């Protein structure tokens, strides 16, 4: 009987699998139970209106009055939100936008769509750990750590928002998993699926379309396991990507005469061009201004001579701050020529000035095309400085973890983001192409944001879960090289 009893006991790996699922379920329940939603931001409001217009009228667009087609917001998360509102949220069919956002319970039920992304994120992280790390029991342990920190450093604050950061994080990890499975299995169906997922990601964060032009042709270089099929598989990834993205771009070409995914790039690029006006003093001070508070207090202020007063109105670094009280006063009084911060000048002051300059030519300076062209002219006038300014802005974008206010959070944040950025280069150097494939999409977004946006930390938040996986994989690889063989084979060889 004792022998039969021993045979019936669950294996340690089975127990760990159960613990991963239990932890994920507990975090989902904790986040949903504690969620209280009283308001909605501007970007999230546009997403909600787009979903409601699609649900109620069959027209995708963010217009608040007469329903008309639009493409201000990326469509994929709002397609999912429209389906959720129609079939799962229990929202009255004829409700108006103002009525929905004024009702906390209905708003919370609308936010429940985020549970789909949260569960999907946890499962994708788990799958990525299993495919990257062996033995399996180590992969399960790493997955629990990554899931826990992804929730606390990022996901918990996204449950009460309809911004696109949480779905983007899910799709970034899922794209990485899809590319990894493609390299390990070399099947056409995995190639098409990976392309479809990447396409959905680009329909969630349109910036990915720009570096997809470079990534898709380069994929066959990293599919060296596939014995002469790498080019065909790369083409299948491109096919899947096209199946997801081209119908939407074709719709916008027919409706608006422009094969774009979403609007908004012109304003962001114009803001970015204003940051190129940094003086040498502001350039050095930007690393202080964009650093997390523990680093400011412990290093920049006592040893490098910076102070908080420099970041206030009248201070030598005032233009680096986004929300100056003097800017608020100037905007309230209509004195847009007196705006000081780079951000407010680029978003509000410069567009008005451009409009005044071209009003006599009857050019619509509010159009995205006009603002984008003006921004590109400004960038082309000082290309070297534009590249140099990308360095402190990338430093700013690194510090996106929610717990970066403590030294432990700063350490994890810095190591994780550095691991993400280093992994594709280490993968190429060490010929571990699995590392390249899991990180290249995340690094592509990071580099794009550093070059072409003012890179607020919200832009890099979707990279947090993937960066934690990269940190875990690199730490295990280092332990293995140091001879710490507490696991069988370490990281799955490439």
């Amino acid at each position: 009987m004792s022998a039969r009893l021993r045979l019936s006991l669950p294996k340690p790996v089975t127990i760990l699998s159960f613990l991963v699922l239990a932890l994920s379920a507990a975090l989902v329940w904790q986040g949903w139970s504690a969620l209280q939603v009283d308001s909605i931001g501007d970007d999230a409001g546009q997403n909600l209106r787009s979903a409601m217009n699609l649900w109620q009228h069959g027209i995708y667009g963010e217009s608040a009055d007469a329903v008309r087609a639009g493409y201000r917001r990326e469509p994929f998360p709002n397609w999912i939100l429209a389906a959720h509102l129609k079939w799962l949220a229990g929202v009255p069919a004829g409700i108006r936008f103002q009525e929905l956002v004024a009702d906390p319970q209905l708003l919370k039920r609308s936010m429940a769509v985020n549970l789909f992304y949260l569960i999907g994120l946890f499962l994708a992280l788990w799958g990525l750990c299993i495919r990257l790390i062996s033995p399996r029991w180590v992969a399960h342990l790493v997955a629990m750590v990554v899931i826990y920190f992804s929730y606390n450093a990022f996901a918990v604050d996204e449950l009460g928002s309809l911004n696109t950061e949480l779905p983007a994080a899910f799709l970034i990890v899922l794209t990485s998993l899809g590319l990894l499975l493609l390299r390990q299995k070399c099947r056409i169906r995995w190639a098409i699926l990976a392309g479809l997922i990447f396409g959905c990601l680009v329909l969630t964060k349109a910036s990915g379309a720009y570096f997809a032009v470079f990534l898709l042709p380069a994929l066959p270089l990293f599919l060296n396991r596939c014995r002469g099929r790498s080019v065909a598989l790369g083409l299948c990834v491109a096919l899947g990507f096209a199946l997801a993205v081209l119908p939407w771009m074709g719709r916008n070409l027919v409706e608006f005469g422009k094969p774009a995914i979403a609007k908004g790039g012109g304003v962001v690029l114009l803001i970015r061009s204003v940051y190129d006006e940094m003086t040498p003093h502001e350039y050095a001070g930007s690393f202080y201004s964009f650093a997390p508070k523990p680093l400011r207090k412990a290093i920049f202020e006592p040893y490098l001579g910076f102070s908080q007063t420099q970041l206030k109105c009248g201070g030598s670094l005032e233009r680096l701050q986004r929300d100056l009280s003097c800017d608020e006063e100037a905007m309230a009084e209509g004195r847009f020529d007196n705006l000081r911060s780079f951000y407010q000048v680029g978003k509000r002051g410069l567009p008005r000035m451009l409009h005044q300059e071209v009003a006599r030519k009857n050019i619509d300076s509010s159009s995205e095309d006009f603002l984008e062209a003006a921004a590109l002219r400004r960038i082309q006038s000082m290309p070297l400085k534009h590249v140099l300014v990308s360095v402190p802005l990338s430093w700013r974008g690194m510090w996106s973890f929610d717990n970066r206010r403590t030294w432990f959070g700063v350490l994890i944040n810095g190591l994780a983001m550095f691991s993400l950025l280093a992994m594709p280069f280490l993968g190429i150097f060490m010929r571990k192409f699995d590392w390249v494939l899991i990180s290249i999409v995340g690094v592509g977004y990071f580099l794009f944001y550093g070059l072409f946006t003012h890179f607020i930390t919200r832009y890099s938040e979707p990279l947090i879960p993937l960066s934690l996986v990269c940190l875990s994989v690199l730490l295990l690889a280092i332990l293995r090289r140091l001879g710490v063989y507490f696991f069988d084979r370490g990281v799955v060889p490439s």
Side-chain angles (χ1 to χ4, degrees), residues 308-367:
Q308 288 290 320
T309 57
Q310 293 176 282
L311 302 175
K312 298 178 180 178
C313 292
S316 61
L317 302 177
E318 63 176 356
R319 296 201 296 174
L320 297 169
Q321 292 298 98
R322 178 168 172 155
D323 299 314
L324 293 171
S325 59
C326 46
D327 277 353
E328 297 291 335
E329 294 174 4
M331 288 186 289
E333 297 171 4
R335 296 182 289 104
F336 291 95
D337 291 340
N338 298 127
L339 294 174
R340 303 184 186 184
S341 70
F342 289 132
Y343 175 79
Q344 296 296 354
V345 169
K347 185 172 184 178
R348 295 179 172 85
L350 187 55
R352 284 171 170 78
M353 183 186 72
L354 291 170
H355 175 72
Q356 293 171 0
E357 290 178 356
V358 302
R360 65 180 184 276
K361 299 179 182 178
N362 198 28
I363 297 177
D364 180 12
S365 64
S366 65
S367 70

Side-chain angles (χ1 to χ4, degrees), residues 48-49 52 63-65 95-103:
L48 181 58
R49 278 196 296 269
M52 291 184 69
S63 57
D65 40 21
I95 193 170
R96 295 172 60 84
F97 174 82
Q98 293 81 0
E99 296 170 333
L100 196 158
V101 298
D103 188 322

